Amino acid sequence: MGTPETQQMKDHLEGLLMSEKKCHSLFTMNNLMRIIYILLIAFTFFNCSSQKSITLYVTNIKETELSVHLKIYVNNSLYVNNNFKYSKVTPNYDVYMHKFDKGIHTLKVLKGDSELLVDTFNLKKDMFIYVSYGEGIKGEGTIFLKKTTVNYKLH
């Protein structure tokens, strides 16, 4: 056995060693928490995009007009400029997808230079817009419009 001073020195050294281990483990835990915090902020930043997508489904359902040239503008910028052919095969949609900032937007559909439809919508989440060129009451070409959003819910 040793003298009381030796035992006291030994206890002191063991205390220092334990203190260093605690300090080291706290430092590691602190770094781990910092990494988790940074990842959480990055994940939140990338998921809270101010842009949402609009998916346009465009078709010609007018039997008496086998092909029609339509132009579709969003906020006065041309996004669709195409000929749409009538077909009995359904669905016969051409699909266009674009990203826009959240907020109020204007959709305009033209056949040639004739304005067939102007509609305003508030884009809060991803939106699907169905644009169907068909026959109006008097036989004229007209646009049928349907807008919808999808709520994603996991059960």
Side-chain angles (χ1 to χ4, degrees), residues 20-140:
E20 184 179 322
K21 283 182 181 178
K22 284 182 185 176
C23 182
H24 181 68
S25 69
L26 284 176
F27 180 72
T28 303
M29 182 60 78
N30 196 13
N31 275 345
L32 181 62
M33 292 303 288
R34 284 183 186 159
I35 291 169
I36 290 171
Y37 182 71
I38 289 169
L39 289 174
L40 182 63
I41 288 173
F43 181 73
T44 302
F45 175 74
F46 287 116
N47 277 340
C48 294
S49 173
S50 65
Q51 289 199 321
K52 296 297 175 188
S53 66
I54 295 176
T55 305
L56 290 168
Y57 295 90
V58 185
T59 189
N60 176 9
I61 58 173
K62 188 174 181 192
E63 291 182 41
T64 58
E65 200 167 340
L66 298 180
S67 182
V68 63
H69 188 86
L70 297 177
K71 296 177 187 173
I72 300 177
Y73 293 83
V74 178
N75 301 330
N76 294 321
S77 295
L78 182 64
Y79 283 94
V80 177
N81 185 10
N82 206 351
N83 284 314
F84 298 93
K85 296 183 181 190
Y86 171 78
S87 174
K88 290 185 180 189
V89 178
T90 56
N92 185 31
Y93 290 100
D94 288 356
V95 181
Y96 303 88
M97 189 171 177
H98 302 283
K99 292 230 178 235
F100 295 95
D101 290 333
K102 290 180 181 179
I104 297 176
H105 300 278
T106 302
L107 177 82
K108 184 170 29 174
V109 181
L110 280 75
K111 176 187 171 192
D113 292 331
S114 300
E115 194 173 272
L116 298 177
L117 173 92
V118 176
D119 188 69
T120 303
F121 58 93
N122 191 359
L123 185 62
K124 295 179 183 178
K125 53 177 101 172
D126 293 342
M127 183 176 279
F128 303 93
I129 301 176
Y130 298 87
V131 178
S132 300
Y133 177 78
E135 193 164 326
I137 296 172
K138 297 178 184 174
E140 80 284 5

